[in-house]
Amino acid sequence: MQNFVFHNPTKIIFGRDTIGRIGPETKAGGCRRVLLVYGCGSIKRNGVYDAVAASLAESGVAAVEHPGVRSNPVLSHVRAGIALAKEEQVDGVVAVGGGSVLDSAKAICAGALVEHDVWQFFKGKKPIRKALPLFTVLTLAASGSEMNGGMVVTNEETRQKFGTANTLLHPRVSILDPTATCSVPADYTAYGAVDAIVHILEFYCTTASAEPTAIQDRISEGLIESIMAACDRVLADLQDYQGRADLMWGATLALNGLTAAGRGPVGLPMHMIEHSLSALYDVPHGAGLAVVAPAWMAHRAERDPVRIAQLGRRLFGLNNVADDRQAALEAIARLKAWFAASGCPVTLHELGVPEDDISQIAANALGLAKIWRLREYDEAEISAILQRCR
Ligand code: NZQ
Ligand code: ZN
């Protein structure tokens, strides 16, 4: 167990009929005039918008709307939100949607309080020292953005999709009502489960600590197993509340710091590569990970199969496979088969990405590898991993 500080300031309100808490919580947070950030219409169709608007109005919190956040959110829309937040002199932000909406809102919270361009935060050129208070209502179980300080935005001009994090960007309060996710279609339900699973795998597989990480590993393995089971339930019945609830809480726990604490330095190499697929081809984040993760894991297993072999023995019962490399490769094959059975693409071709573009994708990903200080990844290494996505 390595030394660590675990500080997660986000208050979670979880369960049925909790969306009406957004007004009182935003008011209690000191806000009277907020920017209401949301996507391209799903919340208008599933009733979440009406519940949020009514709750804010009943609490006397005025809402200035900033709709239109796209999946894989773009910098131009964030900049417009910052301009609106400044012009309307809002004192907080309410985000209602999935990870794209919450991340855009975080960028607006930080960008609204500085004079420089918000992209400077993503390039690591400017530190985040203050942010407007953020309150969220989550409608898609995937990113974990509801309980972390991370945000990911695409700069359409440079075709870069960069992520950064800061504790100041943690939502003050996030409301997680699983019924709000019942309108998520099967494909995005599966993509969300893959995203959450890969968040856990990133830290599990990149743990280099010589000291044991028994607690972290068991939490991680249990979360992966539960998320897979919950996803299977929901794909069998999209209205399955308990399945939706497990998916939602599992995705939140997957990236709120819990599974990483005590592991020592870890990284997000699979995300580093996937963000380029989403930046260049606008593919859903979880779909891109379903292609990249098995390839990265197979590449890692060549050099260091121990962690993945342990996952295979504990998750897929491969105790009879003594050789670590064999156990690791079998574990990867099982995971990839589950991704495919859940309706996810598992090759670049199935994702709709031209295999001839591998060198362009690798060059794009290298930009994020440098910012994230993933020093072992050069273009050749990233290309070699992408070749395994064919
Ligand atoms: O825009 P609307 O109409 O709402 O449609 C959305 C969108 O088209 C739809 N949707 C959301 N909730 C729904 C719904 N449809 C029906 N019913 C509902 N209840 O789903 C589509 C995808 O939404 P999006 O927010 O893009 O999905 P997700 O939550 O997977 O977020 C993906 C974004 O999160 C970032 C990714 O990079 C990507 O940009 N991530 C953020 C992280 C973080 N902050 O820590 C970490 C993650 O690794 C990830 O990178
Ligand atoms: Zn992710």
Side-chain angles (χ1 to χ4, degrees):
M1 178 81 80
Q2 301 253 357
N3 286 8
F4 66 91
V5 172
F6 183 77
H7 171 213
N8 193 312
T10 301
K11 173 180 176 183
I12 296 288
I13 298 173
F14 191 100
R16 292 183 177 86
D17 304 324
T18 50
I19 293 175
R21 293 286 297 276
I22 189 65
E25 292 293 336
T26 305
K27 183 178 179 185
C31 298
R32 294 296 176 271
R33 185 174 181 77
V34 298
L35 191 73
L36 176 58
V37 182
Y38 58 94
C40 299
S42 73
I43 64 168
K44 293 271 177 95
R45 293 187 295 273
N46 65 11
V48 170
Y49 172 86
D50 291 342
V52 168
S55 179
L56 291 171
E58 277 157 32
S59 298
V61 177
V64 177
E65 300 205 1
H66 185 58
V69 176
R70 285 174 26 196
S71 189
N72 295 319
V74 292
L75 181 58
S76 57
H77 191 266
V78 166
R79 285 172 172 153
I82 290 167
L84 187 59
K86 288 180 176 179
E87 185 187 318
E88 294 287 340
Q89 297 181 336
V90 301
D91 52 18
V93 178
V94 170
V96 184
S100 291
V101 169
L102 272 57
D103 285 8
S104 295
K106 290 179 182 178
I108 293 167
C109 287
L113 299 186
V114 293
E115 289 316 309
H116 64 72
D117 183 47
V118 66
W119 190 244
Q120 297 286 77
F121 292 137
F122 292 89
K123 291 195 298 185
K125 300 292 185 204
K126 290 282 186 184
I128 296 171
R129 298 199 195 288
K130 50 192 173 180
L132 288 172
L134 173 63
F135 304 83
T136 84
V137 175
L138 185 70
T139 66
L140 197 160
S143 67
S145 191
E146 64 278 12
M147 198 177 186
N148 70 33
M151 60 178 180
V152 184
V153 168
T154 297
N155 182 330
E156 316 98 296
E157 290 153 24
T158 62
R159 306 187 77 193
Q160 292 169 316
K161 184 178 169 88
F162 285 178
T164 189
N166 188 292
T167 307
L168 293 168
L169 297 179
H170 271 255
R172 296 285 178 84
V173 180
S174 283
I175 293 173
L176 277 57
D177 179 343
T179 55
T181 67
C182 287
S183 52
V184 177
D187 55 355
Y188 274 87
T189 298
Y191 301 158
V194 171
D195 192 15
I197 289 166
V198 178
H199 291 152
I200 299 164
L201 288 173
E202 293 269 27
F203 303 142
Y204 191 99
C205 298
T206 59
T207 296
S209 169
E211 298 180 33
T213 52
I215 289 281
Q216 295 83 354
D217 290 351
R218 293 294 185 182
I219 289 173
S220 298
E221 292 146 12
L223 274 173
I224 292 173
E225 194 170 32
S226 307
I227 290 166
M228 291 173 78
C231 187
D232 290 345
R233 279 183 65 157
V234 172
L235 292 182
D237 172 7
L238 294 177
Q239 304 310 313
D240 181 321
Y241 177 83
Q242 295 307 333
R244 289 288 188 184
D246 284 357
L247 263 186
M248 196 170 210
W249 191 227
T252 302
L253 293 174
L255 202 60
N256 75 345
L258 179 68
T259 63
R263 288 191 182 279
V266 288
L268 290 157
M270 295 180 248
H271 275 69
M272 174 266 290
I273 296 172
E274 194 295 316
H275 283 173
S276 287
L277 295 177
S278 290
L280 297 173
Y281 307 99
D282 198 21
V283 296
H285 174 60
L289 287 171
V291 174
V292 170
W296 180 89
M297 293 171 78
H299 192 77
R300 171 56 60 100
E302 290 299 319
R303 170 161 62 87
D304 176 9
V306 174
R307 306 272 319 146
I308 302 170
Q310 173 181 285
L311 183 81
R313 294 185 180 112
R314 291 183 177 177
L315 214 57
F316 299 116
L318 300 174
N319 296 302
N320 58 333
V321 183
D323 177 78
D324 280 348
R325 179 160 296 111
Q326 278 311 312
L329 293 177
E330 178 56 27
I332 295 162
R334 301 282 184 95
L335 199 59
K336 187 172 179 177
W338 185 82
F339 289 169
S342 302
C344 297
V346 288
T347 65
L348 289 176
H349 176 71
E350 290 175 0
L351 190 62
V353 171
E355 294 171 359
D356 295 345
D357 288 3
I358 281 178
S359 57
Q360 179 195 344
I361 299 164
N364 184 283
L366 191 60
L368 186 53
K370 287 188 173 134
I371 290 181
W372 280 1
R373 296 194 179 90
L374 295 171
R375 292 188 178 83
E376 66 188 274
Y377 294 89
D378 58 12
E379 259 189 71
E381 184 76 356
I382 299 169
S383 293
I385 293 164
L386 286 164
Q387 286 296 340
R388 292 174 182 265
C389 300
R390 299 168 72 105

